[in-house]
Amino acid sequence: MAITQEVQRELVDYLLSAEREKREVEKITSRYPDLPIEVAYEIQQQLIERKEQAGERCIGLKLGLTSRAKQQMMGVHEAIYGYLTDGMLALEWEPLSYSRFIHPKAEPEIAFMMGEDLQGTNVTAEDVLRATKYVAPAIEIIDSRYENFRFTLPDVVADNCSSSAFVVGSKWVSPRDFDLALTGVVMSKNGIIQTTGSGAAVLGHPAASMAWAVNKLGEKGLGLKKGQIVLSGAITEAIAFEPGDVIQVTVDGMGSVTFGCQG
Ligand code: OOG
Ligand code: MG
C-alpha cells in the first residue's frame, strides 16, 4: 500500500494518540509492511514538528540501538536516531510518575553537551570530541508505543526511537579527561546491580556513535547545534521498573545519576 502524505499524517496521529492516551498500539508495519526507512524518518520528523506546534522545544538528539546488546534484544542490526524535546527532560530530584508511561524501561547512557555546532558527512569521533563541551552520566527512559516493545527498524524510527524521558547527572566533565571506550558503567535498581558495561559497547566508542549520527544528519543537510544534548546510546540492555523503584547509573569518573519512580 502506498504511503501517501495523508497516510503519513494518519500514522503521526496514531502514534501521538497512543502516547497521549498511554496505551500500546499495533506496530505500523503490520499494516504497511513495506514502509521504507526513509519514510519512517519523515514520519518521525512530522511527529516532532507536531510536538513543537504543541509548545515543546527540540533540545537535542538521541541515538539508539548502537550496542550489540540492544540490537540483539530488539532483533535489529542497525543504529537509529531520534529527537529529544524539553518535555522529555526529567530532573533528578523530582520523582517520575509511572502514570505518564505505558511500559517504561531505563537504560544507562553517556550524555554529550555540544560546545560548538557540528555538521558534515565525514565527521569522525575526534571531531565529535573537539566539538563537545561536557559529558555526563544519563538515564534514558524508553517507552515504545508498540505492543510489548516489538517492532522493526522503520516502526521504531517512526516512533521517535521509543523516546519518552531522560535524566542527566549534575556533574558535567570534559570528555578529554577520559577514554570513553574504557569508561565503566553500572546500573542498579534499589541498590542491586542490574547491568554493567563500558563505553566501547556503543559502536566501539560513544563519540563514534555520535559521529555516525552526525554523518547521517549531514546527508540531509542537518547537524548538531551548540548547546544541544545528545544521548549517545544505551551501553547495556534496558531494564523495566515500577512505582517505588529507584534507578541509579554510575559512570567511572563522572559520578551518578538517579531517579525515583512513584505511582
Ligand atoms: C529503541 C530505542 C533504543 C538505545 O539507546 O539503544 C535506545 C528501543 O529499544 O525501544 O534508545
Ligand atoms: Mg537510549
Side-chain angles (χ1 to χ4, degrees), residues 62-63 107 109 140 142 233-234:
K62 65 158 278 181
L63 310 195
E107 42 185 35
E109 306 220 6
E140 180 176 20
I142 51 173

Side-chain angles (χ1 to χ4, degrees), residues 16-256:
L16 284 174
S17 66
E19 180 177 2
R20 200 171 44 241
E21 293 157 21
K22 299 167 193 63
R23 56 184 172 82
E24 42 177 31
V25 293
E26 196 176 350
K27 62 184 191 307
I28 58 188
T29 55
S30 301
R31 257 186 305 153
Y32 301 97
D34 302 324
L35 180 69
I37 191 85
E38 300 76 30
V39 176
Y41 273 109
E42 282 171 29
I43 294 171
Q44 181 197 95
Q45 186 67 39
Q46 290 177 31
L47 190 138
I48 294 300
E49 282 165 15
R50 287 278 296 277
K51 282 178 182 272
E52 286 176 331
Q53 283 159 15
E56 284 183 58
R57 207 160 46 85
C58 184
I59 58 170
L61 193 75
K62 65 158 278 181
L63 310 195
L65 309 180
T66 47
S67 70
R68 188 160 312 155
K70 286 285 310 190
Q71 292 186 359
Q72 276 170 355
M73 189 174 175
M74 306 328 297
V76 301
H77 54 274
E78 210 179 285
I80 51 179
Y81 67 84
Y83 289 94
L84 300 174
T85 69
D86 58 351
M88 300 174 192
L89 183 64
L91 302 171
E92 271 199 287
W93 55 89
E94 217 171 46
L96 268 175
S97 170
Y98 194 86
S99 62
R100 66 182 268 190
F101 301 114
I102 305 167
H103 44 202
K105 294 180 187 176
E107 42 185 35
E109 306 220 6
I110 294 178
F112 285 62
M113 192 208 266
M114 303 312 296
E116 296 167 23
D117 293 358
L118 185 62
Q119 185 168 342
T121 50
N122 282 309
V123 171
T124 63
E126 287 71 33
D127 297 330
V128 168
L129 289 174
R130 258 194 304 277
T132 300
K133 192 162 186 192
Y134 300 116
V135 287
I139 305 172
E140 180 176 20
I141 294 142
I142 51 173
D143 196 26
S144 173
R145 268 50 70 173
Y146 301 123
E147 286 165 354
N148 302 318
F149 262 89
R150 294 251 173 74
F151 43 69
T152 66
L153 215 51
D155 286 306
V156 65
V157 165
D159 186 31
N160 194 29
C161 307
S162 311
S163 304
S164 184
F166 66 101
V167 195
V168 183
S170 49
K171 185 178 173 198
W172 292 79
V173 297
S174 166
R176 282 165 288 277
D177 296 342
F178 297 87
D179 179 346
L180 288 176
L182 297 180
T183 299
V185 177
V186 175
M187 178 162 66
S188 65
K189 179 158 80 177
N190 307 325
I192 299 166
I193 292 175
Q194 306 286 316
T195 66
T196 60
S198 75
V202 179
L203 295 181
H205 192 294
S209 149
M210 296 229 337
W212 172 85
V214 173
N215 290 327
K216 278 275 178 201
L217 287 176
E219 287 168 15
K220 297 183 184 170
L222 303 170
L224 294 176
K225 294 263 175 278
K226 178 179 175 178
Q228 282 191 322
I229 295 176
V230 184
L231 295 179
S232 53
I235 287 169
T236 73
E237 67 269 30
I239 59 165
F241 60 87
E242 290 174 1
D245 287 339
V246 174
I247 307 284
Q248 183 170 57
V249 165
T250 304
V251 179
D252 190 19
M254 297 183 202
S256 301

